[in-house]
Amino acid sequence: MTGAWILLSGAMFSFILAIYYFKRLATVQKTSKRAEEWFEESGQLKRKSFILLVGDRFDNSELAEDLKKKLIQANIPLQPSEYMGIYILAIAVLWFFCYFVLGLILFMGFLLSYLITWLASKLYLSSRQNKRNESFNKQLPEICRMMSNAVKAGQTIPQGIEMVGNEIKAPSGPEFKKMDQQLRLGDGFDEVMNRFRERVSSNEINIFVSTILIQRRVGGNLAEVLDLMATTLEERARVYKEIQTVTAESKSIAYILVIMPVLMAVMMNLFIKGFLNVIFTTFGLILLAVFAGMITIAFVIIKRITRIRV
């Protein structure tokens, strides 16, 4: 009987101890979650690469700096080493297709695979970056008016940034929340604003940040300047849409001019095995260089004609 009581007492003690530690665990997890919200960048730096050592060395090298900046601006949650891993894998898959399906020689298949992957990567990063910039530019007039109203109400610029972070949706809202957290942690105002400018490579954002920094240093009616900026940005957006509509056809022709000859050559090679192998003769290389030069010149001319700055 005494043994049963001892066993029951031990079970009750273990149960109470388990409840205590479960409550402690819940408190720690809640605290960790709040800390991750404040230090969001630390979660983004967690490794996902298969080759950790090589990946970490590449991420910390100077070669990865430019790619890392582009990934941040395009809002792609990958480390440079992970993106390069996908890049190399795409080249390998395309090379396999060119060599075993299209019947191209080894060097020709590799060259074509590299050019396709390089162009696709460049267009993908550019399109993601432009799409994100357009989203910021659409929200910027509302941000300017909201911060102008905050200044008129007697609030400081950091308080206006906090209000924008709480009221505006993504993508601007999370970025302003990040700035608010950095300011609360004691970072300098100029440093925080310059980091924001680097993360978003938009001309409108650059003007917005420069205006706030200059007005903060030299003084002046910041509320009036922000109201004027909001009106100007809305007018610029309207004119930009009109220009995009007028030049859309010409821009499409520029890309079709580059893609169509490549697709036609690949299609001919499907019907005639080894059709493209003759390019690597002396005469074929000369024709390829002349053709590539003419296509490049035509593409650059069309892009320059359709690039109208607002």
Side-chain angles (χ1 to χ4, degrees):
M1 191 68 179
T2 305
W5 278 106
I6 294 174
L7 184 62
L8 181 61
S9 301
M12 290 293 295
F13 177 77
S14 300
F15 179 72
I16 295 171
L17 192 64
I19 292 176
Y20 170 75
Y21 278 108
F22 271 119
K23 290 186 69 176
R24 285 286 304 274
L25 179 63
T27 304
V28 171
Q29 288 179 345
K30 187 176 179 181
T31 306
S32 300
K33 187 176 180 181
R34 291 186 62 186
E36 287 176 359
E37 292 176 356
W38 278 80
F39 300 95
E40 187 176 354
E41 292 183 357
S42 62
Q44 294 177 354
L45 296 176
K46 291 180 180 178
R47 299 295 303 130
K48 303 175 185 177
S49 177
F50 290 102
I51 309 174
L52 298 180
L53 181 61
V54 177
D56 287 337
R57 286 183 177 178
F58 178 76
D59 291 337
N60 296 325
S61 66
E62 295 181 0
L63 294 174
E65 287 297 324
D66 185 57
L67 178 58
K68 188 174 184 179
K69 184 177 179 181
K70 290 180 179 179
L71 291 174
I72 293 174
Q73 292 174 351
N75 196 28
I76 298 176
L78 291 176
Q79 295 292 334
S81 58
E82 295 167 351
Y83 186 84
M84 287 303 300
I86 298 172
Y87 189 92
I88 295 172
L89 179 62
I91 293 177
V93 171
L94 286 174
W95 175 83
F96 180 87
F97 178 80
C98 291
Y99 184 75
F100 291 100
V101 178
L102 299 181
L104 300 179
I105 61 176
L106 188 66
F107 181 74
M108 179 65 181
F110 177 79
L111 179 62
L112 184 61
S113 302
Y114 175 77
L115 290 176
I116 292 175
T117 306
W118 173 79
L119 182 61
S121 173
K122 192 175 183 65
L123 292 175
Y124 175 69
L125 290 175
S126 178
S127 63
R128 289 271 304 196
Q129 182 178 336
N130 292 336
K131 185 177 180 180
R132 189 165 183 253
N133 289 345
E134 288 178 3
S135 300
F136 272 102
N137 295 340
K138 287 180 181 178
Q139 294 177 327
L140 194 53
E142 184 180 358
I143 292 172
C144 290
R145 289 200 173 92
M146 189 174 294
M147 292 192 66
S148 173
N149 293 333
V151 173
K152 289 177 182 177
Q155 295 181 337
T156 61
I157 298 176
Q159 287 175 328
I161 291 174
E162 180 184 3
M163 183 173 64
V164 171
N166 293 330
E167 298 294 334
I168 300 294
K169 297 180 181 179
S172 298
E175 288 293 337
F176 275 79
K177 279 186 178 179
K178 185 181 294 184
M179 285 195 293
D180 177 49
Q181 292 170 359
Q182 292 172 353
L183 290 171
R184 288 175 179 270
L185 290 172
D187 291 348
F189 184 83
D190 290 6
E191 184 181 356
V192 171
M193 296 299 292
N194 286 324
R195 284 183 204 155
F196 171 61
R197 177 160 44 190
E198 291 179 359
R199 291 195 300 268
V200 186
S201 61
S202 169
N203 291 331
E204 285 77 3
I205 292 294
N206 187 27
I207 295 171
F208 170 75
V209 172
S210 299
T211 301
I212 291 180
L213 292 180
I214 292 171
Q215 288 289 320
R216 189 169 180 269
R217 289 176 184 174
V218 304
N221 193 342
L222 180 60
E224 184 178 351
V225 172
L226 290 174
D227 281 332
L228 181 60
M229 185 184 296
T231 305
T232 305
L233 289 173
E234 288 175 344
E235 187 65 21
R236 285 186 62 182
R238 184 187 63 80
V239 175
Y240 180 75
K241 285 182 180 179
E242 293 180 0
I243 294 174
Q244 289 292 98
T245 303
V246 173
T247 60
E249 183 178 355
S250 300
K251 289 181 179 180
S252 301
I253 291 173
Y255 289 107
I256 292 172
L257 184 68
V258 177
I259 295 173
M260 280 299 295
V262 177
L263 293 180
M264 289 295 295
V266 172
M267 187 179 298
M268 290 296 295
N269 195 80
L270 287 173
F271 294 105
I272 306 173
K273 291 293 183 181
F275 177 80
L276 295 177
N277 292 337
V278 295
I279 292 178
F280 284 91
T281 62
T282 303
F283 184 69
L285 290 173
I286 294 173
L287 287 179
L288 179 63
V290 173
F291 170 76
M294 294 175 63
I295 291 294
T296 303
I297 292 172
F299 180 81
V300 171
I301 290 174
I302 295 175
K303 291 293 288 184
R304 286 187 177 275
I305 292 174
T306 56
R307 186 181 299 166
I308 302 174
R309 295 184 178 180
V310 182

